[in-house]
Amino acid sequence: MRESTMMTHDEIIPVITIDGPSASGKGTVAQRVAKELGFHYLDSGALYRLVALKSLQEDADITDEGALVEIAANLDVVFENSDIYLDGKQVTDAIRTEQCGALASRLASCQSIRESLIARQRAFRQLPGLVTDGRDMGSVIFPDAVLKVYLTAGADVRAQRRYKQLIEKGISANIDSLQEEICKRDERDSNRKVAPLQKCLDARLLDTTSLSILQAQNRVLEWYRACNATEERI
Ligand code: DC
């Protein structure tokens, strides 16, 4: 093999990125695809939510960029199966509140906070492969992903899905304020200067407004298998 075509260790580990707006169902689809393929899974939004939770716990000044970067760079976090531990305490549901989501979205517009989370995210790229979801997984963190998906759905459908999710977790919610919050978050995540939420040119669009989770999951799996078949022919 010529040197210029040799792949690095990381490049041979396949990554599927699923980016999209809040409550689009990308997390559920990504987890299921990962399970189906036996791949690792990274919920990158959880990292921003963890920074938000920790800054709330520490009553940090959210205008103090240095303090927030310090929190982000030193997060003591463990992902274990479907649970997340911060400083040894289980925070799986605690990070899912709208308060954490809204603060995460605000903190995520700060470049230095984002930079302090890059290495942690890339470390999830392990054999046999990784499925990850977020806002900039395909554009910034894993630009060489084998398959990039932009998963979305109408804001009303997303609000209903988030409502159902919260109620199932025993967290009270109001559907109208959820939809308003989702639209605000979309606006902030899409219009920020650093790593905005966007559909990369090389991402495939998956609109799940009228698809079931299983249909969405199968579409991603079909696309991934098609990528592999093409690579094998080449
Ligand atoms: O996916 P989520 O709702 O859990 O993410 C919470 C917030 O974190 C989201 O509003 C924006 C931010 N985020 C980001 O900026 N980049 C990512 N890759 C993932 C999340």
Side-chain angles (χ1 to χ4, degrees), residues 63-186:
T63 60
D64 182 348
E65 198 176 311
L68 297 171
V69 169
E70 189 71 15
I71 288 177
N74 295 301
L75 277 182
D76 172 8
V77 54
V78 174
F79 290 88
E80 202 175 271
N81 303 318
S82 312
D83 283 320
I84 303 174
Y85 296 83
L86 177 65
D87 300 322
K89 289 203 190 89
Q90 209 232 69
V91 293
T92 319
D93 291 337
I95 60 164
R96 296 291 153 204
T97 62
E98 283 310 295
Q99 188 193 19
C100 263
L103 182 56
S105 167
R106 287 179 66 181
L107 304 181
S109 61
C110 171
Q111 175 145 24
S112 46
I113 295 178
R114 303 195 72 82
E115 279 169 2
S116 63
L117 294 172
I118 292 178
R120 201 185 277 267
Q121 293 172 85
R122 291 195 175 139
F124 277 79
R125 188 174 197 167
Q126 303 269 341
L127 283 168
L130 173 69
V131 184
T132 179
D133 72 84
R135 305 294 187 289
D136 63 340
M137 295 294 98
S139 57
V140 177
I141 307 295
F142 300 108
D144 63 335
V146 61
L147 172 65
K148 299 181 188 179
V149 177
Y150 184 82
L151 191 151
T152 190
D156 52 339
V157 173
R158 289 188 280 131
Q160 280 163 23
R161 288 178 185 164
R162 178 55 54 90
Y163 178 79
K164 203 167 152 247
Q165 240 177 23
L166 291 173
I167 297 298
E168 275 169 11
K169 287 187 199 301
I171 303 172
S172 68
N174 171 291
I175 201 150
D176 292 333
S177 48
L178 275 180
Q179 185 162 340
E180 203 184 306
E181 189 50 49
I182 280 175
C183 292
K184 254 199 250 162
R185 201 121 72 82
D186 286 356

Side-chain angles (χ1 to χ4, degrees), residues 3-22:
E3 202 164 58
S4 59
T5 59
M6 272 183 24
M7 291 174 118
T8 65
H9 174 69
D10 266 7
E11 282 167 350
I12 57 170
I13 302 175
V15 178
I16 300 175
T17 60
I18 305 186
D19 288 303
S22 304

Side-chain angles (χ1 to χ4, degrees), residues 52-71:
L53 180 65
K54 180 94 181 170
S55 34
L56 287 169
Q57 286 172 346
E58 293 195 349
D59 205 11
D61 173 0
I62 63 155
T63 60
D64 182 348
E65 198 176 311
L68 297 171
V69 169
E70 189 71 15
I71 288 177

